[in-house]
Amino acid sequence: MNYMLPLSYAWGNFSVLAVGIWAIVQRDSLDAITMFLTGLLFTVLTDIIHISIFYPSHDFLSDAKRFSIGMAIFSLLLKPVSCYLVYRMYQERGGE
């Protein structure tokens, strides 16, 4: 991440990843998939805030920083697709 985004960005995304692994491992747990979906929706909001606040000005934008912010934006664009797929999994497990 080239030290551009704060540690809260990394901790938020890694903790949602850990909950996602838990949701995949426990196939019968509705609580795990609910927590994973809630975490994904929450990180969409926090990622938007992190990227908009910590985006560097054009003068200080090196290639490594440009790549880092590009991957963060790409991750943000893929999260709605992940939310949809997790919601489908939630419905398969008996969610309302």
Side-chain angles (χ1 to χ4, degrees):
M1 290 186 319
N2 200 21
Y3 303 106
M4 188 176 62
L5 293 171
L7 283 177
S8 59
Y9 175 81
W11 277 105
N13 284 310
F14 286 141
S15 57
V16 168
L17 178 66
V19 172
I21 291 171
W22 173 49
I24 291 171
V25 169
Q26 286 192 342
R27 294 195 178 269
D28 58 342
S29 176
L30 193 60
D31 292 337
I33 200 75
T34 304
M35 286 178 60
F36 184 43
L37 183 59
T38 305
L40 273 175
L41 292 173
F42 181 70
T43 57
V44 168
L45 178 67
T46 58
D47 287 357
I48 291 170
I49 292 170
H50 280 116
I51 291 170
S52 63
I53 289 176
F54 294 102
Y55 193 82
S57 65
H58 186 66
D59 299 335
F60 301 106
L61 201 58
S62 66
D63 289 337
K65 287 182 180 180
R66 186 175 296 135
F67 179 76
S68 275
I69 202 70
M71 289 297 108
I73 291 171
F74 184 65
S75 170
L76 179 62
L77 291 174
L78 286 179
K79 281 189 182 179
V81 175
S82 298
C83 287
Y84 173 73
L85 294 173
V86 170
Y87 181 71
R88 294 283 307 239
M89 193 182 302
Y90 171 76
Q91 287 178 332
E92 289 174 4
R93 292 186 184 184
E96 296 175 3

